[in-house]
Structure formats: structure tokens, C-alpha cells
Amino acid sequence: MKYKKIQTEQQWLNEGIAKYGAWIPNWRFKCPCCGRINTAEEFDKVGLDVEDASQFCIGNFKKKTGCNYATMRTISRHNEGCRLIRFDDGRRLAVFDFSD
């Protein structure tokens, strides 16, 4: 599987903090399928975990907005627009790329 970038959890967190600050609801992610910019804040406002913004397009939860792509559901060409995060305990997680 090809990913846009492979990082450790700490590298990913450091990059997010450098781009958007430490307050995670300010973070923004680009859906690799439809290109929509999802904000962690919009996930928070509808009662979802802010971390879901890095793995789900908002269309999974808000109809007629974005699409229903999710990183853990499919293995597709869209994963090339995702990053692979490696955790210290050996787990790996595909996440959307940060928006520019």
C-alpha cells in the first residue's frame, strides 16, 4: 500500500501543532476521495470525537456534505492521499492528510 507520508505518532502530532496549534478542534484534514476539507471542530459540534475528522469524511455523519469515505473501511487508490501513522506499540493507522 502506498501512502503520501509515513510518520510516527509524535511526528504527526508535532506537524499538526505547528500548522494549527495545540487545540485539536482547529485542525483540518483533506478527504482523499472527494477533496473536502473537514475540520475537527465540525465533528465536535455534532457530538463526534474530534479525532474522527482525520479518518472519516463528514458525509458519513452529515448527509449531502462530503462523501462517505473512511480510511479503515477500504483499501483503495484514495489511500495514496493518506498518511500512515506508526505508534510506539506497533499499531498503524491511516489518516487523512492535513489541509494546506
Side-chain angles (χ1 to χ4, degrees):
M1 178 62 55
K2 198 174 190 180
Y3 291 95
K4 186 172 185 174
K5 192 179 234 184
I6 298 173
Q7 296 176 290
T8 66
E9 178 187 22
Q10 194 58 55
Q11 289 169 326
W12 182 74
L13 290 170
N14 289 345
E15 185 176 347
I17 290 167
K19 287 179 86 74
Y20 307 114
W23 182 245
I24 292 178
N26 287 338
W27 292 24
R28 297 183 301 276
F29 303 92
K30 183 177 182 178
C31 175
C33 185
C34 71
R36 185 179 190 281
I37 304 303
N38 295 296
T39 67
E41 181 178 33
E42 70 186 328
F43 277 69
D44 187 46
K45 284 183 178 178
V46 295
L48 300 166
D49 192 320
V50 295
E51 293 177 9
D52 288 343
S54 68
Q55 299 168 57
F56 294 91
C57 191
I58 195 70
N60 283 283
F61 311 103
K62 288 175 73 177
K63 299 301 175 210
K64 299 183 182 179
T65 306
C67 69
N68 66 350
Y69 184 76
T71 60
M72 72 274 300
R73 255 192 245 146
T74 49
I75 297 175
S76 74
R77 63 183 172 81
H78 300 298
N79 283 355
E80 291 181 5
C82 293
R83 295 172 183 223
L84 183 67
I85 307 306
R86 293 184 177 169
F87 295 86
D88 290 339
D89 64 5
R91 289 179 300 126
R92 296 174 182 197
L93 179 67
V95 296
F96 292 175
D97 197 14
F98 292 117
S99 70
D100 293 329

